[in-house]
């Protein structure tokens, strides 16, 4: 599943940290790690205590480092 549904949800409510988190998950599963990183960072800018976004951002950063090597 692509990020289309979550992107529409973000258009309706751009301050929804959970929607940004879910969008990040979609991008991560598609292997679009830079976009996933941006989505998780956006989620955290809205809710700095969103633990799932914090966790997945770290995983995404690891994946970016791994694929860049």
């Amino acid at each position: 599943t692509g990020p289309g549904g979550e992107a529409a949800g973000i258009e309706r409510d751009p301050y929804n940290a959970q929607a940004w988190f879910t969008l990040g998950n979609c991008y991560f599963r598609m292997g679009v790690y830079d976009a996933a990183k941006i989505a998780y960072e956006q989620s955290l800018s809205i809710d700095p205590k969103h633990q799932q976004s914090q966790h997945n951002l770290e995983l995404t950063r690891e994946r970016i480092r791994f694929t860049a090597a």
Side-chain angles (χ1 to χ4, degrees):
T1 301
E6 282 309 316
I10 288 169
E11 286 178 10
R12 285 189 301 274
D13 182 7
Y15 300 103
N16 184 329
Q18 186 65 32
W20 283 102
F21 166 74
T22 304
L23 180 62
N25 290 343
C26 291
Y27 281 128
F28 188 90
R29 285 197 285 299
M30 292 170 33
V32 186
Y33 303 118
D34 289 333
K37 179 179 173 282
I38 291 168
Y40 295 134
E41 290 171 340
Q42 184 63 30
S43 174
L44 288 167
S45 75
I46 296 164
D47 180 2
K49 295 181 181 181
H50 195 281
Q51 293 180 348
Q52 293 170 309
S53 289
Q54 291 171 348
H55 175 76
N56 285 11
L57 178 57
E58 288 304 315
L59 291 176
T60 302
R61 287 177 175 157
E62 287 288 321
R63 189 61 61 97
I64 290 169
R65 281 193 291 273
F66 177 76
T67 57

